[in-house]
């Protein structure tokens, strides 16, 4: 773990998999990052209102051998963060610094993208993927919600689904999102795309869609994010280098990869039907090519 952000991100990524008592430990640690560096096992347990075995189980859920290794990495991340602050990097989220040469940027960006895609692949669960594809093919109406970078991903997804004849619409305007979400029913599907999972417009639209009875599918990066509470199915990207509240360039590539997985999954679910529809679209647009 290279920094405080990475340490916190790891907690957030496993948050929904924790037991209720273990979440108390996670909540306390996230809220008291610097104070716990001086605390022992018993004090953290007391302040979290749990037993010491619960704290140990939490540290193991994070992938540590036990509390001792957890504390060592916690202190190390604090030192690393202090060292970084001594040399402020204004472009931290872009993973470049003042010493980078222009000729180094292409390789760095490609490397970050490859890493993000590799991490995303690790999060792919076949059963979840198959259910998501079926949700799309079974839906009467498909709404896609996202803003900013995620909104552009949503438009790309809509374009793909329209090409194979699915009844799909995508809005980045929150008012239109909520209007549509209010009228969805049990045979409809709402898809929310949010890297942080905390974007209020997208979360609200997904919540309203779920309350209306629609099924919900979410693409996000963080398991502890608010939007996952309203999702029937969640597909996670693996952008481990981003901060919790910022979208990075590589996150877009991870989102696009999942969109393409879902799109191609729909096509192969009934190859003859969907390729026939694609042929019709291709024949219609062939005159537009020089």
């Amino acid at each position: 773990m290279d920094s405080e952000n990475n340490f916190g991100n790891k907690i957030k990524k496993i948050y929904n998999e924790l037991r209720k008592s273990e979440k108390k430990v996670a909540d306390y640690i996230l809220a008291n990052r610097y104070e716990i560096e001086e605390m022992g096992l018993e004090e953290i347990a007391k302040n979290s209102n749990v037993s010491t075995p619960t704290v140990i189980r939490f540290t193991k859920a994070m992938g540590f051998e036990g509390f001792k290794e957890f504390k060592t990495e916690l202190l190390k991340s604090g030192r690393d963060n202090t060292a970084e602050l001594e040399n402020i990097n204004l472009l931290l989220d872009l993973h470049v610094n003042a010493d980078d040469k222009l000729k180094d940027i292409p390789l760095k960006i490609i490397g970050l993208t490859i890493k993000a895609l590799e991490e995303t692949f690790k999060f792919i669960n076949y059963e979840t993927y198959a259910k998501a594809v079926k949700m799309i093919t079974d839906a009467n109406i498909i709404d896609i919600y996202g803003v900013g970078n995620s909104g552009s991903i949503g438009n790309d997804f809509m374009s793909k689904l329209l090409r194979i004849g699915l009844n799909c619409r995508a809005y980045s305007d929150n008012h239109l999102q909520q209007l549509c979400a209010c009228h969805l029913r049990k045979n409809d599907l709402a898809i929310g795309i949010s890297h942080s999972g905390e974007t209020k417009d997208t979360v609200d639209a997904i919540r309203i869609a779920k309350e209306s009875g629609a099924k919900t599918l979410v693409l996000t990066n963080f398991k502890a994010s608010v939007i996952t509470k309203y999702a029937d199915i969640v597909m996670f990207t693996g952008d481990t280098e981003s901060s919790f509240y910022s979208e990075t360039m590589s996150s877009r590539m991870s989102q696009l990869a999942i969109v393409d997985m879902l799109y191609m999954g729909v096509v192969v679910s009934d190859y003859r039907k969907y390729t026939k529809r694609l042929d019709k679209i291709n024949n219609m647009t062939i005159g537009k090519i020089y």
Side-chain angles (χ1 to χ4, degrees):
M1 296 176 201
D2 299 326
S3 69
E4 173 196 354
N5 278 341
N6 282 347
F7 196 89
N9 284 349
K10 185 165 186 177
I11 295 177
K12 291 163 184 172
K13 278 184 174 293
I14 66 166
Y15 189 87
N16 283 358
E17 299 173 359
L18 298 174
R19 300 175 184 177
K20 186 175 181 180
S21 58
E22 294 166 354
K23 288 181 179 178
K24 291 183 179 180
V25 182
D27 291 339
Y28 182 75
I29 291 174
L30 289 171
N32 301 274
R33 169 65 180 81
Y34 295 105
E35 289 83 351
I36 63 171
E37 291 185 5
E38 306 299 325
M39 296 181 187
L41 173 60
E42 292 77 10
E43 189 174 1
I44 292 176
K46 180 181 178 181
N47 292 341
S48 302
N49 294 315
V50 299
S51 64
T52 52
T54 297
V55 177
I56 294 172
R57 284 198 304 269
F58 165 76
T59 62
K60 290 184 176 180
M62 283 191 68
F64 298 110
E65 291 291 330
F67 181 77
K68 184 177 180 180
E69 184 183 1
F70 163 80
K71 193 67 180 292
T72 299
E73 289 297 325
L74 177 67
L75 293 171
K76 180 177 180 295
S77 71
R79 289 194 298 270
D80 289 347
N81 192 53
T82 301
E84 288 174 2
L85 289 175
E86 292 175 355
N87 181 22
I88 297 174
N89 181 359
L90 297 178
L91 295 177
L92 182 61
D93 281 342
L94 299 182
H95 304 279
V96 297
N97 57 63
D99 295 327
D100 282 334
K101 301 293 188 296
L102 184 62
K103 64 183 180 63
D104 298 327
I105 300 302
L107 180 59
K108 176 170 281 194
I109 296 302
I110 294 296
L112 288 168
T113 300
I114 291 172
K115 183 176 181 180
L117 292 173
E118 288 175 341
E119 290 297 321
T120 296
F121 182 70
K122 293 177 184 178
F123 284 98
I124 299 301
N125 175 280
Y126 173 74
E127 184 178 348
T128 300
Y129 170 60
K131 287 180 179 178
V133 169
K134 191 172 190 307
M135 287 174 73
I136 294 171
T137 58
D138 289 349
N140 178 30
I141 297 173
I142 302 168
D143 270 3
I144 304 176
Y145 310 132
V147 299
N149 287 332
S150 296
S152 66
I153 305 300
N155 286 329
D156 177 79
F157 202 178
M158 176 186 68
S159 176
K160 286 180 168 67
L161 296 182
L162 287 175
R163 289 178 70 87
I164 55 176
L166 299 187
N167 186 8
C168 181
R169 55 196 183 185
Y171 297 108
S172 57
D173 179 88
N174 179 243
H175 184 64
L176 293 176
Q177 288 178 351
Q178 293 192 13
L179 283 176
C180 292
C182 281
H183 295 292
L184 295 181
R185 295 296 179 260
K186 66 178 182 179
N187 293 326
D188 301 324
L189 171 64
I191 301 175
I193 305 176
S194 173
H195 175 74
S196 70
E198 303 286 325
T199 305
K200 192 175 189 305
D201 288 351
T202 308
V203 172
D204 287 347
I206 286 293
R207 174 181 54 79
I208 293 170
K210 189 170 183 64
E211 291 171 352
S212 298
K215 295 181 177 61
T216 53
L217 167 63
V218 164
L219 277 61
T220 188
N221 195 69
F222 296 97
K223 292 185 178 181
S225 58
V226 174
I227 201 170
T228 60
K229 295 192 297 185
Y230 307 108
D232 293 316
I233 290 181
V234 184
M235 296 192 71
F236 293 102
T237 54
D239 185 11
T240 58
E241 295 299 319
S242 68
S243 62
F244 190 51
Y245 292 105
S246 68
E247 293 191 18
T248 65
M249 292 178 290
S250 56
S251 73
R252 296 200 307 272
M253 302 306 297
S254 298
Q255 290 172 342
L256 281 171
I258 291 182
V259 164
D260 287 346
M261 290 177 209
L262 292 170
Y263 169 66
M264 295 306 298
V266 171
V267 171
V268 301
S269 70
D270 193 333
Y271 188 81
R272 183 182 297 273
K273 178 174 76 174
Y274 291 120
T275 53
K276 184 177 181 180
R277 293 179 180 179
L278 281 172
D279 285 340
K280 183 178 180 180
I281 294 297
N282 290 337
N283 289 333
M284 180 188 70
T285 59
I286 194 168
K288 298 182 179 295
I289 301 174
Y290 282 106

